[in-house]
Amino acid sequence: MTLRREAFLDHVKERGKYSTAKEAERAARVVLALLGAHLVGEVRAQLAARLPEEFALILLNPLQSAEPLPPERFLRATAPWIEGATEQTATWDVSAVLSTVADTAGDDLLGQILLQLPVGYDLLFGHPQPT
């Protein structure tokens, strides 16, 4: 089921404690563009199908990445793209977006997503995996 744009942004706004939907949208755009560079094939397509069209297109046309970034570098890479963000606030931004993505994806797809990402992303999605 595809989540409506407003509902998706409302979730991000609430989790990120943003004062405006515009701030939530800015974080969502950046995080999804970076995430899209790390996912491939059917997994990326399935996630895109569950996102609002605008955000699905961002996921499907990602920023380029030569290799999957470990979670710490993903956070550092996010900060410069979000106006006023620091590495510390980028953690908040990434978690707000990725926890919303996790809920949108559901457990099965999230498991497939995590298989494509370096170890540690489970925490960014708000779904710690047993070790």
Side-chain angles (χ1 to χ4, degrees):
M1 180 176 95
T2 302
L3 196 60
R4 285 184 13 260
R5 180 183 190 281
E6 295 77 20
F8 184 84
L9 287 177
D10 284 347
H11 287 292
V12 173
K13 182 180 174 197
E14 178 182 322
R15 290 173 183 184
K17 301 199 184 308
Y18 299 110
S19 55
T20 68
K22 186 173 183 169
E23 290 175 289
E25 180 178 354
R26 184 175 25 237
R29 287 176 170 278
V30 170
V31 173
L32 290 171
L34 289 170
L35 178 63
H38 290 68
L39 300 177
V40 296
E42 189 62 28
V43 170
R44 185 166 63 185
Q46 285 180 30
L47 179 57
R50 296 181 187 189
L51 294 173
E53 182 179 6
E54 173 183 346
F55 297 114
L57 292 173
I58 292 168
L59 184 80
L60 293 171
N61 297 292
L63 296 170
Q64 297 304 307
S65 178
E67 62 183 346
L69 299 174
E72 306 80 33
R73 287 190 53 213
F74 187 91
L75 293 170
R76 284 196 305 266
T78 303
W81 292 95
I82 299 175
E83 185 179 326
T86 65
E87 286 185 27
Q88 292 74 29
T89 62
T91 301
W92 189 269
D93 296 323
V94 168
S95 292
V97 175
L98 292 185
S99 65
T100 301
V101 167
D103 290 349
T104 303
D107 291 339
D108 291 341
L109 181 55
L110 179 60
Q112 294 174 46
I113 290 168
L114 291 173
L115 287 174
Q116 289 193 7
L117 298 170
V119 173
Y121 274 82
D122 56 332
L123 299 175
L124 297 180
F125 280 92
H127 287 262
Q129 303 295 303
T131 54

